[in-house]
Amino acid sequence: MRNKSALVYDDLMQKIDREVYKLGTYLPSEYQICELYGISRETGRKALAMLAEDGYIQKIRGKGSMVIEHRQYEFPVSGIVSYKELAQQLHVNTENDVYYFEPHVSLPVQKFTSLRVEMAAEPVTAIKRIRVIDGEPDIIDKDYILQAVVPELPKSAAEDSLYAYFEDQLGLEIAYATKEITMEPANAEDRERLNLAAGSYMAVVRSVTSLADATPFQYTESRHRADKFRFRDFARRTKKSN
């Protein structure tokens, strides 16, 4: 069971995400939060400290806790979150066009540079999807799912949400991912699928996702139009103690 400060943190975070508390406005005072949630001042301080640490608020002396820009990235780089979840969080209209779905294919070993060679040699299910944002094709996602972990993968899962299928239907515990971002010239597939001119560039995010037992099972190559790609992060300076 989560402690009270974590529960208050979750509720305030969700209200910030839903814009109950809008960017540039102040949260209720520390005293008001304690009254609202029926908690001690120490619990209220801990919840606000967690929000500040995670980049949701900035404490302004004499004024209170201001809501600041907290969304770490604009599409889909940050953390391990499905495209569907991220689109819902950012309130954008999207379509998901699966134009290639092929089980039982081989993935070249070099694709899985972070994986053990014996796993890279195993069969995968290959999926290619176009992410259409506000009526414009912006992203090509290429996913390769190891069949040793996911033997059968319905196309309907690719059309909706792979992570919902992995977690809710198969009970997989997805733990972490390693990622790299490069800028590369658009290839013929990019230009055709995203309606790009010759000479265009792509921001390419490659990642390897692993389960809680450290088993790597998914390679993803997410190819973003460079003119639409935005990478944003939140960093808070931590002073060294003497």
Side-chain angles (χ1 to χ4, degrees):
M1 180 179 294
R2 306 195 69 186
N3 59 38
K4 287 185 178 180
S5 60
L7 294 173
V8 173
Y9 165 89
D10 287 344
D11 189 64
L12 290 172
M13 178 189 66
Q14 291 171 21
K15 287 177 178 176
I16 292 171
D17 281 337
R18 296 198 306 267
E19 298 185 343
V20 174
Y21 302 121
K22 297 182 182 297
L23 181 68
T25 65
Y26 288 88
L27 295 183
S29 69
E30 185 177 294
Y31 173 79
Q32 289 171 323
I33 286 176
C34 293
E35 287 290 305
L36 179 64
Y37 291 99
I39 56 176
S40 67
R41 294 194 68 181
E42 180 63 23
T43 299
R45 288 194 187 105
K46 286 181 180 179
L48 291 173
M50 292 163 64
L51 288 170
E53 181 66 25
D54 289 345
Y56 283 87
I57 62 172
Q58 176 65 37
K59 292 186 176 181
I60 310 296
R61 182 172 296 179
K63 293 186 176 181
S65 302
M66 176 186 282
V67 178
I68 61 176
E69 177 57 67
H70 62 280
R71 292 179 299 191
Q72 289 187 313
Y73 302 96
E74 305 285 341
F75 277 95
V77 177
S78 175
I80 308 177
V81 61
S82 74
Y83 176 88
K84 183 177 181 179
E85 292 167 339
L86 194 57
Q88 291 172 344
Q89 291 173 16
L90 299 182
H91 308 294
V92 295
N93 295 318
T94 68
E95 298 174 34
N96 184 23
D97 178 16
V98 179
Y99 69 92
Y100 181 87
F101 184 90
E102 188 63 44
H104 307 293
V105 299
S106 297
L107 183 65
V109 171
Q110 59 267 27
K111 288 282 190 183
F112 277 104
T113 54
S114 299
L115 304 187
R116 298 190 297 273
V117 173
E118 65 269 20
M119 294 203 69
E122 293 183 8
V124 299
T125 298
I127 305 163
K128 297 182 182 181
R129 297 175 286 183
I130 298 174
R131 311 298 196 174
V132 181
I133 304 169
D134 292 330
E136 188 171 23
D138 285 345
I139 304 167
I140 295 175
D141 274 347
K142 301 179 181 182
D143 289 288
Y144 303 88
I145 314 299
L146 289 175
Q147 292 186 350
V149 176
V150 184
E152 299 293 335
L153 180 59
K155 187 177 180 181
S156 59
E159 294 169 336
D160 184 30
S161 172
L162 288 177
Y163 277 25
Y165 180 76
F166 295 155
E167 295 175 325
D168 299 339
Q169 300 298 317
L170 301 184
L172 297 179
E173 187 177 353
I174 300 170
Y176 62 91
T178 56
K179 301 188 180 187
E180 67 175 14
I181 304 172
T182 59
M183 299 298 293
E184 302 175 11
N187 59 33
E189 184 177 21
D190 297 330
R191 294 193 298 271
E192 176 187 356
R193 296 289 178 177
L194 302 182
N195 302 322
L196 299 177
S200 297
Y201 267 74
M202 306 292 291
V204 182
V205 183
R206 295 182 174 90
S207 63
V208 175
T209 303
S210 299
L211 302 176
D213 64 0
T215 299
F217 78 104
Q218 177 184 20
Y219 169 83
T220 300
E221 184 175 293
S222 188
R223 304 180 65 84
H224 303 242
R225 285 178 48 174
D227 61 328
K228 297 286 187 178
F229 181 79
R230 295 176 64 192
F231 176 88
R232 306 178 65 198
D233 197 4
F234 176 83
R236 189 176 292 281
R237 177 169 170 76
T238 302
K239 294 184 180 179
K240 295 181 179 179
S241 58
N242 294 328

